Amino acid sequence: MNIILLGPPGAGKGTQAGFLVEERGMVQLSTGDMLREAKASGSEMGKRVAAIMDAGELVTDEIVIGLIREKLQGTKSAGFIFDGFPRTLKQADALGELLDEMGQSLDAVIELRVNDEALVGRIVGRAEAAVAAGDKPRADDNAESLKKRLMEYYKQTSPLIGYYYAKGMYSRVDGMASMDEVKAALAAKLDG
Ligand code: AMP
């Protein structure tokens, strides 16, 4: 079973994907994680994307599609969770083609629905928690960058809701509920 978790930054996609990995042995493919790895490794591509990511803008479709292609082709799995990908219609088309080539398909696209004010609180909380734990917060977890990331979400990513709705794949859960409730709601969708 291959699924997309859709939702703005801070909606809880990464957290819920983590539960699905632990409990169902699915494989999480997060382009944000892949890009942060590239950035940390200091590769040419990492250097190219660093400033874009810190500013909260979207990296080019070519780069992220390339990353996903590589991972998909190199990984055997009973189920992929796409987290933070696709973020544009072009990426959504590319994902459809890639899965087709592999003889696979997408089973569900689930939006974690949240409200914007709560998101700001969650992201600030994530930065504070990182500091409290002695870690460096994500470079893009600040008010300025968050505003940009939210704008990018609404401009470029939210059209995917209509795109997948038209394909009969879209559904949503209340992302404002507690972590356990969201987890249960997701499980109900996947098993239902
Ligand atoms: P995330 O961890 O998903 O919030 O991603 C962090 C940052 O990586 C985003 O703000 C973008 O700059 C970049 N990024 C991650 N995934 C994508 C994607 N699918 N398309 C374009 N940029 C992405």
Side-chain angles (χ1 to χ4, degrees), residues 50-63:
I52 298 172
M53 289 176 70
D54 290 354
E57 284 161 19
L58 291 189
V59 169
T60 64
D61 288 331
E62 285 65 29
I63 289 181

Side-chain angles (χ1 to χ4, degrees), residues 44-176:
E44 259 325 294
M45 189 269 275
K47 282 184 204 149
R48 250 190 299 148
V49 299
I52 298 172
M53 289 176 70
D54 290 354
E57 284 161 19
L58 291 189
V59 169
T60 64
D61 288 331
E62 285 65 29
I63 289 181
V64 288
I65 291 167
L67 284 171
I68 284 282
R69 178 183 291 118
E70 214 174 285
K71 281 276 177 185
L72 270 181
Q73 291 173 345
T75 314
K76 262 212 144 29
S77 163
F80 292 106
I81 308 158
F82 297 96
D83 160 14
F85 179 93
R87 261 177 159 94
T88 66
L89 291 167
K90 190 161 174 210
Q91 292 176 23
D93 279 335
L95 177 60
E97 284 165 21
L98 277 172
L99 288 171
D100 255 2
E101 282 168 24
M102 296 167 61
Q104 295 210 35
S105 59
L106 204 54
D107 300 283
V109 177
I110 306 172
E111 181 194 8
L112 302 183
R113 194 151 261 227
V114 287
N115 76 47
D116 291 354
E117 259 167 68
L119 288 182
V120 178
R122 281 189 187 184
I123 301 241
V124 171
R126 181 159 77 189
E128 285 170 356
V131 172
D135 297 329
K136 237 174 96 176
R138 276 173 55 165
D140 59 354
D141 275 353
N142 59 73
E144 186 75 6
S145 165
L146 174 61
K147 227 166 92 190
K148 187 81 198 166
R149 282 153 72 203
L150 276 176
M151 284 306 290
E152 294 284 28
Y153 180 78
Y154 290 111
K155 276 198 296 198
Q156 311 223 52
T157 308
S158 65
L160 297 187
I161 292 172
Y163 175 97
Y164 287 117
Y165 178 79
K167 289 180 184 281
M169 290 177 187
Y170 168 80
S171 65
R172 70 174 180 230
V173 299
D174 174 14
M176 299 307 297

